[in-house]
Amino acid sequence: MNMEKKLLSVAEEGNVGELAKLLNGFGQDEIGTMITNRVMRGKADPVALVRAVLLGSPSDDSEGVQRRFHVYKHCIELLQSNEMHSKMASEMIGILLLEADAFPGSCLAELAAIYIDSIKNGTITNGKSLDLFPKIISALAAQEVIAYGGSEVTGSEYKSHLLNTLCSSRWDSQCVIHLSAMFRDITMTMDELRFVINKLLRMFKDLDMEELPPLVYQLLLLSTKGHKRLVLEGISSFFVEQDKIFMEKENKQQNSEFIEATTNSDQLRQTEGNIILHITFAIKQDQELGREFIKYLKGIQLCSPSQVLAPFNVALALSVGKIHRFEDQTFDFLKTTILKSFKDREKQQDSFWVNEMVPESCIVAELVLQTVKNSVFGWDHVTQGLVQLGFTLMDAFGPKAAFGKTEVVPSAQVTPTQEACNLGASILLDTFRAHEMVRGEILEQILNRVVTKATSPVSHYIDLLANTIKSAPQILLESLPKVRDAFDYLSFLPPKSAEGLLKAVQPLMKISMSLKDSLLLILRKAMFSRQIDSRKIAVSGFLLILQHFKVLGGLPSSQASQSFSSSQVQVDVHARYNPSSNEALCLEILGNLRRCLTQQADVRLILYEGLFGVLCRNTELSQGIVEMVLTQLKRYYEYDQDINPPLNLDPCILQQGDQVYLSEPLAHLLCCAQQCITKVSEIQKKQSETEDEEDAHENCQSDLEDMLESLTRRMIKSEMEDFELDKSADFTLGGSVGVKNNIFAILVLGVYEVLIEYNFNIGDFSSNSFQQITQLFDNHRKLSDVLKEKANAGGKKGKTTGNKTARSLLSIKLVCRMLKSLLSDNVPSHQESLGVLRQNADFTRYIISVALQKIQQITDRGSCDGVEGNETEKLFRYCCSIARVFLRQYTTDVQTPEENKKERGKHVSVMCLEGLASIVQIVCTRYSAKIADFLCALGERDGEELDMEDRIHQHVKNFQRLVMTVLSSDHDDHPVKEIVPLVHIIGSLSKHMKTDGQQFIQLHAWVNRLFTEQAVDDHSTVKVLLMTLFSMTSRIQNTVTLIRDVSQDIHSQLGDIDQEVEVEDKTHFAMVTHRTAAPCILLLVLQQMDKELDNTEWVVGRVKADLQANPEINAGETSPGPTQRENHEKSICTRLGIFITAFHELVQSAIPSGPCVEGMLKTLTKMYGALANMVKYYLTMYNQRSGHMSARFEKLVKLSGTHLTQHVYAMITYIQAAQTGHIQQTGGKKDKKKEASVVTGKARVLKESKFVPNLIFAIEQYERYLIQLSKKSKINLMEHMKLSTSRDFRINTVVLQEALEQQASSSEEENEENSDHEQENQPPPNKQAKVTDTQTSKGKLGLRGKAKKSKVVDNAAD
């Protein structure tokens, strides 16, 4: 102890010499013991002793150096042992850092080796001792020469060796974070930094989840030196892989492991959330890091969109998007990537070859929605981004207004754009359910868009609002003021949008009386608005309330005529509604609706169409509704039974000056009346009659029934002349009289239809009622025939009357019942009465035509006119019933012997077949989840239990038999065109079959055999068969061979562009004939080629993107990457080679001018674009030095020069010559028709000529890239390419020769020059000579010629 004090005192005096002498008297172990003792006591200061020892150990003395080295080594051991408290350790590190530079290189190397050994052995338990290591390494790097491995190296080289040794050794997981912090203080080159970062990233998998956030934090700090993208890519790839592993385990796990998995899930999500926070904070400090993250995502967008849209990357991108600088580009990028992913998935599903080349990896929507699920683990920084992403997708990809219309018909086929919009809605809905903090904002933004987007469709926002309210109506009670504010703008919205909004908020009105009262007040104001749209909204709103607030008792219905105000109903802000008090509300609303009966026809129409729905939902209001309808109907009804017609139509017309308007939709009023009275009768049959109040009710009901029966009798007796409508009446729309007569005619036709429906409903299969129906229909037919005749006559005179087929007022329910009765009712008691209807073939055809009209409406917009037209479930049931009747009728007709058929019956069967095809299309698109139920309804074998695939196959076989029956029958009985709807049905059902199943393969073979063996000249039949064949082939195999075979057949049927060349008249497919080859089949082939070329370019783009994203992997010879890439290249080159052989046939065919030429030039341009893309792919490969050009590609280039380009130039010359000849032929005589044909011909020539320069440019671009690739690869790829001679301009050799002859002298030299000029400007050698030399006297498509061509193709494929 005394010696320690003496050392310290001498050190304080600064006497270095005496201090050195004292230290020489101590051994190194003694000095270490003194330092250790001071550390252990804790109270003494070991730093002062170390400072004294270092002061007395000069660096120019060998003993001093050794003493220093021993002190450093001992202190490092003490620091690693964790015996010092933090303050003492910091002071100790400070003194050691100051003196480290005094060491010679050998000592520094030994100290570094101590650290390396400690790291390898895992003895470092804290990061205190590592603070000295960077100083030692930097001191080493500053040394000029260091002895290493028996030789001398520079300090920087030795430092690189140290880092290499350090990163190559195994690290203990406990020291990884300390090491990562240490590397920040080491000066490194970019290569050394990359090596260190890769080592740290590889250590991720060895660490526990809670240790990853601090390591990521250190990595982000380390990235300030460089390699930012590498750090972000490593972090992203690790967590994307962890998510995949976790999802796989979660799918496979059993119930017993559920608790453990949940814990792992929580830990993983919380770790990801912390890391996202670290990265976002780092990007705020260093915006270059944010730019690198965006570049990284864009770099892998093309080759791996599933990696971009992985939950971790989406969450990180959304968090980065909160930073204002990156907001726009982040959300634009996510929006673009999501849409592209949906488009790519559609392409992969449609094409077998595309899916084989780039397999479908994931479902985009599931990935993005997984981010929402993960966000519940405290990812508050991501939640706001999810809301913004949802609305971004809905705003960008929602339905767009067409021609100013805000009403959008829902499409049956879901496009990628619609999928992206639906994903946005799902994101918002799931976020709304999961996060309370954003519910108010989501609701506010939805309502704002519904209110402010008056000029664009808002149906997708209204659907989202409805789903949001349905999911949690109680939660939205806090947001009622926002809903109430939106109601203030209700009357300014388009009627459809307002109706949708009211339907969406109905659940809220049942739990909040104050909201209901606010709406009633607004609707009452809207009822008195000057704007007709506001009044429409008011009527729709009142009708909705009547439907949803059912009356269960309370006030007597005799008070229906009295008025009530909402002040009579007790209101509590958040009280549930009281059903017993609803009657007062409903009767008040009925009183308000009576005001509509004096308003415009559009407002009345909404009321009439909605009252039946109210009656069905709220049966207690039946008396008030029947009374209202009866009162209105009396205004037009003639009570005197002797007066005909029984209805006064004049009040239904409003005339203002020369303009005539409909003021009362009388037919719809009558339709409402008959529907209501029929419904009331059904209700009365089901329930027992009550006593007191029934008198008034029965009076109204009996009055209305009497009125309808009287109308039936008198309308049968009434003639067209009674309504002032006959053949001599004026029906033109040019004057007020014609408009008035048209309105009257439509009203009368509607009245006939309403009475037909009423009598069928109440007739109960009586002969009398059916007799009345036929008489009503006869009158209906006479009037409709007059309208059609006038329309045709007006059209012939050039003045169209504008008459269109009026929409039928018959309900789809009645149409379904009538079809069953007319076509399939076998009940014996019904046969006599039904015979009355069945005798009238026109009536049967009329009912079927109405059914087709309803089916077409469902096809177009998913709903139809009339009662129950908007109820999807009921529409599906009606479609099933109608389809069953249609199928039975057509099958019976096909199997009926020829002599028992009638002309009208055949027409009925064709209509049934068309209707059946439309219904199958509806079910396959709009009700795809219910195909099994539909097929069960179609089939007659109820006892069979079949799976989906077998059931579809069973029905497909039935339709196949029908096709063969039609083909084998006399075409006078069953025209070939009947095959078209049958093949449509087969094609629609085949889309729901598994492509890898034997049944689909058999069906494809049958379609192929049909196209191969059956010679059919009907264009529509050939077209639908070829389209189906292309569609099915693309789903199970490569389509290009089929395209090549059809192209050869087209060439054989159309002949060659060189008339002297004979083409063998032999085809692969019997349906390819001279009549069908062009334009029918040729245009379909070009269309399919266009699609397949798009697919080829897409695959080339994906392979190229993969090459650019992973140049190191592709450059490695031993990795599996190049093998897969070479397989892709082989497949693409083979495909393009077969395309060239197909075009080789088509460009030599004598194609007729018009659409065929235009399509050919466009598709050829795209073909050269695809070839150019393949050349650019190889240019990229050579630029990156990651591979070499394949021999197959060289053969492809040779094939394009010999088999395509030369013939393309000859085809252009042929087309232009044909165009010139056509104009000269039509321009001979001066005739109006001839002049018109000349103008038309010139226009067509001008249009077609625009595509020629584009084609030439595409060829030259292809050749340009070939020249570049030839220089890169040192291979002459232009060997078989000839310079083009076709341009959009061409020197006329005849004119040139005449000019030269005029200027030339009589010398022979000048004549020879002129002949040389003439020869140089000649077109390419005649193909006939080539054919004669190679094939002698055989046709171009002879067997030997074909063998030669296939050999060339095989060589290219090899």
PDB file of all heavy atoms in Angstrom, residues 829-847:
ATOM      1  N   SER A 829    -105.568 -31.697 -64.118  1.00  0.00           N
ATOM      2  CA  SER A 829    -106.690 -30.768 -63.954  1.00  0.00           C
ATOM      3  C   SER A 829    -106.438 -29.427 -64.639  1.00  0.00           C
ATOM      4  O   SER A 829    -107.366 -28.643 -64.827  1.00  0.00           O
ATOM      5  CB  SER A 829    -106.959 -30.539 -62.464  1.00  0.00           C
ATOM      6  OG  SER A 829    -105.817 -30.017 -61.824  1.00  0.00           O
ATOM      7  N   HIS A 830    -105.186 -29.150 -64.994  1.00  0.00           N
ATOM      8  CA  HIS A 830    -104.869 -27.865 -65.607  1.00  0.00           C
ATOM      9  C   HIS A 830    -104.870 -27.927 -67.127  1.00  0.00           C
ATOM     10  O   HIS A 830    -104.838 -26.873 -67.780  1.00  0.00           O
ATOM     11  CB  HIS A 830    -103.475 -27.381 -65.146  1.00  0.00           C
ATOM     12  CG  HIS A 830    -103.381 -27.102 -63.673  1.00  0.00           C
ATOM     13  ND1 HIS A 830    -102.182 -26.859 -63.028  1.00  0.00           N
ATOM     14  CD2 HIS A 830    -104.348 -27.023 -62.721  1.00  0.00           C
ATOM     15  CE1 HIS A 830    -102.401 -26.650 -61.741  1.00  0.00           C
ATOM     16  NE2 HIS A 830    -103.703 -26.743 -61.531  1.00  0.00           N
ATOM     17  N   GLN A 831    -104.857 -29.118 -67.670  1.00  0.00           N
ATOM     18  CA  GLN A 831    -104.599 -29.239 -69.097  1.00  0.00           C
ATOM     19  C   GLN A 831    -105.678 -28.591 -69.965  1.00  0.00           C
ATOM     20  O   GLN A 831    -105.383 -27.959 -70.971  1.00  0.00           O
ATOM     21  CB  GLN A 831    -104.441 -30.715 -69.483  1.00  0.00           C
ATOM     22  CG  GLN A 831    -103.281 -31.414 -68.775  1.00  0.00           C
ATOM     23  CD  GLN A 831    -101.984 -30.651 -68.905  1.00  0.00           C
ATOM     24  OE1 GLN A 831    -101.538 -30.340 -70.014  1.00  0.00           O
ATOM     25  NE2 GLN A 831    -101.386 -30.300 -67.763  1.00  0.00           N
ATOM     26  N   GLU A 832    -106.932 -28.728 -69.560  1.00  0.00           N
ATOM     27  CA  GLU A 832    -108.026 -28.183 -70.372  1.00  0.00           C
ATOM     28  C   GLU A 832    -107.936 -26.666 -70.453  1.00  0.00           C
ATOM     29  O   GLU A 832    -108.027 -26.071 -71.539  1.00  0.00           O
ATOM     30  CB  GLU A 832    -109.371 -28.610 -69.771  1.00  0.00           C
ATOM     31  CG  GLU A 832    -110.565 -28.109 -70.589  1.00  0.00           C
ATOM     32  CD  GLU A 832    -111.886 -28.531 -69.969  1.00  0.00           C
ATOM     33  OE1 GLU A 832    -111.861 -29.317 -68.973  1.00  0.00           O
ATOM     34  OE2 GLU A 832    -112.925 -28.075 -70.457  1.00  0.00           O
ATOM     35  N   SER A 833    -107.744 -26.011 -69.270  1.00  0.00           N
ATOM     36  CA  SER A 833    -107.681 -24.547 -69.273  1.00  0.00           C
ATOM     37  C   SER A 833    -106.396 -24.056 -69.934  1.00  0.00           C
ATOM     38  O   SER A 833    -106.392 -23.056 -70.662  1.00  0.00           O
ATOM     39  CB  SER A 833    -107.771 -24.020 -67.841  1.00  0.00           C
ATOM     40  OG  SER A 833    -106.763 -24.616 -67.032  1.00  0.00           O
ATOM     41  N   LEU A 834    -105.283 -24.768 -69.699  1.00  0.00           N
ATOM     42  CA  LEU A 834    -104.034 -24.338 -70.311  1.00  0.00           C
ATOM     43  C   LEU A 834    -104.069 -24.487 -71.830  1.00  0.00           C
ATOM     44  O   LEU A 834    -103.343 -23.784 -72.549  1.00  0.00           O
ATOM     45  CB  LEU A 834    -102.855 -25.134 -69.745  1.00  0.00           C
ATOM     46  CG  LEU A 834    -102.393 -24.749 -68.338  1.00  0.00           C
ATOM     47  CD1 LEU A 834    -101.345 -25.719 -67.824  1.00  0.00           C
ATOM     48  CD2 LEU A 834    -101.846 -23.330 -68.320  1.00  0.00           C
ATOM     49  N   GLY A 835    -104.895 -25.408 -72.307  1.00  0.00           N
ATOM     50  CA  GLY A 835    -105.017 -25.565 -73.752  1.00  0.00           C
ATOM     51  C   GLY A 835    -105.461 -24.279 -74.427  1.00  0.00           C
ATOM     52  O   GLY A 835    -105.097 -24.012 -75.571  1.00  0.00           O
ATOM     53  N   VAL A 836    -106.247 -23.470 -73.709  1.00  0.00           N
ATOM     54  CA  VAL A 836    -106.708 -22.189 -74.266  1.00  0.00           C
ATOM     55  C   VAL A 836    -105.509 -21.301 -74.571  1.00  0.00           C
ATOM     56  O   VAL A 836    -105.444 -20.641 -75.611  1.00  0.00           O
ATOM     57  CB  VAL A 836    -107.666 -21.498 -73.275  1.00  0.00           C
ATOM     58  CG1 VAL A 836    -108.083 -20.132 -73.808  1.00  0.00           C
ATOM     59  CG2 VAL A 836    -108.886 -22.374 -73.008  1.00  0.00           C
ATOM     60  N   LEU A 837    -104.540 -21.272 -73.626  1.00  0.00           N
ATOM     61  CA  LEU A 837    -103.359 -20.427 -73.824  1.00  0.00           C
ATOM     62  C   LEU A 837    -102.389 -21.046 -74.826  1.00  0.00           C
ATOM     63  O   LEU A 837    -101.796 -20.357 -75.654  1.00  0.00           O
ATOM     64  CB  LEU A 837    -102.636 -20.207 -72.489  1.00  0.00           C
ATOM     65  CG  LEU A 837    -103.388 -19.421 -71.403  1.00  0.00           C
ATOM     66  CD1 LEU A 837    -102.540 -19.307 -70.154  1.00  0.00           C
ATOM     67  CD2 LEU A 837    -103.756 -18.027 -71.904  1.00  0.00           C
ATOM     68  N   ARG A 838    -102.228 -22.369 -74.754  1.00  0.00           N
ATOM     69  CA  ARG A 838    -101.237 -23.029 -75.596  1.00  0.00           C
ATOM     70  C   ARG A 838    -101.630 -23.006 -77.071  1.00  0.00           C
ATOM     71  O   ARG A 838    -100.756 -23.102 -77.947  1.00  0.00           O
ATOM     72  CB  ARG A 838    -101.039 -24.466 -75.130  1.00  0.00           C
ATOM     73  CG  ARG A 838    -100.308 -24.558 -73.786  1.00  0.00           C
ATOM     74  CD  ARG A 838    -100.323 -25.973 -73.236  1.00  0.00           C
ATOM     75  NE  ARG A 838     -99.565 -26.071 -71.993  1.00  0.00           N
ATOM     76  CZ  ARG A 838     -99.593 -27.122 -71.181  1.00  0.00           C
ATOM     77  NH1 ARG A 838    -100.354 -28.175 -71.496  1.00  0.00           N
ATOM     78  NH2 ARG A 838     -98.884 -27.128 -70.080  1.00  0.00           N
ATOM     79  N   GLN A 839    -102.917 -22.885 -77.343  1.00  0.00           N
ATOM     80  CA  GLN A 839    -103.342 -22.811 -78.738  1.00  0.00           C
ATOM     81  C   GLN A 839    -102.833 -21.540 -79.405  1.00  0.00           C
ATOM     82  O   GLN A 839    -102.636 -21.500 -80.616  1.00  0.00           O
ATOM     83  CB  GLN A 839    -104.871 -22.868 -78.825  1.00  0.00           C
ATOM     84  CG  GLN A 839    -105.442 -24.250 -78.545  1.00  0.00           C
ATOM     85  CD  GLN A 839    -106.958 -24.239 -78.549  1.00  0.00           C
ATOM     86  OE1 GLN A 839    -107.587 -23.175 -78.674  1.00  0.00           O
ATOM     87  NE2 GLN A 839    -107.564 -25.411 -78.398  1.00  0.00           N
ATOM     88  N   ASN A 840    -102.648 -20.525 -78.598  1.00  0.00           N
ATOM     89  CA  ASN A 840    -102.195 -19.239 -79.136  1.00  0.00           C
ATOM     90  C   ASN A 840    -100.663 -19.217 -79.095  1.00  0.00           C
ATOM     91  O   ASN A 840    -100.047 -18.880 -78.082  1.00  0.00           O
ATOM     92  CB  ASN A 840    -102.781 -18.089 -78.297  1.00  0.00           C
ATOM     93  CG  ASN A 840    -102.609 -16.748 -78.982  1.00  0.00           C
ATOM     94  OD1 ASN A 840    -101.701 -16.567 -79.784  1.00  0.00           O
ATOM     95  ND2 ASN A 840    -103.484 -15.808 -78.660  1.00  0.00           N
ATOM     96  N   ALA A 841    -100.027 -19.604 -80.211  1.00  0.00           N
ATOM     97  CA  ALA A 841     -98.558 -19.676 -80.248  1.00  0.00           C
ATOM     98  C   ALA A 841     -97.935 -18.299 -80.066  1.00  0.00           C
ATOM     99  O   ALA A 841     -96.833 -18.175 -79.506  1.00  0.00           O
ATOM    100  CB  ALA A 841     -98.095 -20.293 -81.565  1.00  0.00           C
ATOM    101  N   ASP A 842     -98.636 -17.263 -80.546  1.00  0.00           N
ATOM    102  CA  ASP A 842     -98.104 -15.907 -80.378  1.00  0.00           C
ATOM    103  C   ASP A 842     -97.998 -15.538 -78.901  1.00  0.00           C
ATOM    104  O   ASP A 842     -97.066 -14.838 -78.489  1.00  0.00           O
ATOM    105  CB  ASP A 842     -98.995 -14.889 -81.096  1.00  0.00           C
ATOM    106  CG  ASP A 842     -98.862 -14.997 -82.611  1.00  0.00           C
ATOM    107  OD1 ASP A 842     -97.804 -15.495 -83.058  1.00  0.00           O
ATOM    108  OD2 ASP A 842     -99.803 -14.610 -83.316  1.00  0.00           O
ATOM    109  N   PHE A 843     -98.951 -15.986 -78.090  1.00  0.00           N
ATOM    110  CA  PHE A 843     -98.918 -15.676 -76.661  1.00  0.00           C
ATOM    111  C   PHE A 843     -97.710 -16.352 -75.993  1.00  0.00           C
ATOM    112  O   PHE A 843     -97.013 -15.733 -75.176  1.00  0.00           O
ATOM    113  CB  PHE A 843    -100.220 -16.129 -75.988  1.00  0.00           C
ATOM    114  CG  PHE A 843    -100.273 -15.828 -74.519  1.00  0.00           C
ATOM    115  CD1 PHE A 843    -100.465 -14.543 -74.063  1.00  0.00           C
ATOM    116  CD2 PHE A 843    -100.110 -16.842 -73.577  1.00  0.00           C
ATOM    117  CE1 PHE A 843    -100.494 -14.253 -72.705  1.00  0.00           C
ATOM    118  CE2 PHE A 843    -100.138 -16.573 -72.227  1.00  0.00           C
ATOM    119  CZ  PHE A 843    -100.338 -15.279 -71.786  1.00  0.00           C
ATOM    120  N   THR A 844     -97.459 -17.604 -76.354  1.00  0.00           N
ATOM    121  CA  THR A 844     -96.288 -18.308 -75.799  1.00  0.00           C
ATOM    122  C   THR A 844     -95.008 -17.582 -76.172  1.00  0.00           C
ATOM    123  O   THR A 844     -94.119 -17.363 -75.334  1.00  0.00           O
ATOM    124  CB  THR A 844     -96.249 -19.752 -76.324  1.00  0.00           C
ATOM    125  OG1 THR A 844     -97.469 -20.413 -75.980  1.00  0.00           O
ATOM    126  CG2 THR A 844     -95.068 -20.509 -75.734  1.00  0.00           C
ATOM    127  N   ARG A 845     -94.926 -17.190 -77.451  1.00  0.00           N
ATOM    128  CA  ARG A 845     -93.725 -16.487 -77.886  1.00  0.00           C
ATOM    129  C   ARG A 845     -93.599 -15.133 -77.189  1.00  0.00           C
ATOM    130  O   ARG A 845     -92.490 -14.696 -76.859  1.00  0.00           O
ATOM    131  CB  ARG A 845     -93.775 -16.322 -79.415  1.00  0.00           C
ATOM    132  CG  ARG A 845     -92.437 -15.987 -80.011  1.00  0.00           C
ATOM    133  CD  ARG A 845     -92.355 -16.288 -81.494  1.00  0.00           C
ATOM    134  NE  ARG A 845     -93.475 -15.756 -82.246  1.00  0.00           N
ATOM    135  CZ  ARG A 845     -94.437 -16.498 -82.793  1.00  0.00           C
ATOM    136  NH1 ARG A 845     -94.406 -17.815 -82.653  1.00  0.00           N
ATOM    137  NH2 ARG A 845     -95.423 -15.964 -83.475  1.00  0.00           N
ATOM    138  N   TYR A 846     -94.734 -14.495 -76.949  1.00  0.00           N
ATOM    139  CA  TYR A 846     -94.716 -13.200 -76.259  1.00  0.00           C
ATOM    140  C   TYR A 846     -94.191 -13.352 -74.825  1.00  0.00           C
ATOM    141  O   TYR A 846     -93.342 -12.579 -74.368  1.00  0.00           O
ATOM    142  CB  TYR A 846     -96.131 -12.601 -76.254  1.00  0.00           C
ATOM    143  CG  TYR A 846     -96.349 -11.522 -75.220  1.00  0.00           C
ATOM    144  CD1 TYR A 846     -95.774 -10.263 -75.363  1.00  0.00           C
ATOM    145  CD2 TYR A 846     -97.139 -11.751 -74.101  1.00  0.00           C
ATOM    146  CE1 TYR A 846     -95.971  -9.279 -74.414  1.00  0.00           C
ATOM    147  CE2 TYR A 846     -97.353 -10.788 -73.156  1.00  0.00           C
ATOM    148  CZ  TYR A 846     -96.765  -9.550 -73.310  1.00  0.00           C
ATOM    149  OH  TYR A 846     -96.960  -8.582 -72.355  1.00  0.00           O
ATOM    150  N   ILE A 847     -94.655 -14.363 -74.111  1.00  0.00           N
ATOM    151  CA  ILE A 847     -94.198 -14.580 -72.727  1.00  0.00           C
ATOM    152  C   ILE A 847     -92.702 -14.899 -72.711  1.00  0.00           C
ATOM    153  O   ILE A 847     -91.943 -14.403 -71.857  1.00  0.00           O
ATOM    154  CB  ILE A 847     -95.008 -15.714 -72.056  1.00  0.00           C
ATOM    155  CG1 ILE A 847     -96.479 -15.300 -71.912  1.00  0.00           C
ATOM    156  CG2 ILE A 847     -94.424 -16.064 -70.693  1.00  0.00           C
ATOM    157  CD1 ILE A 847     -96.701 -14.084 -71.031  1.00  0.00           C
TER     158      ILE A 847
END
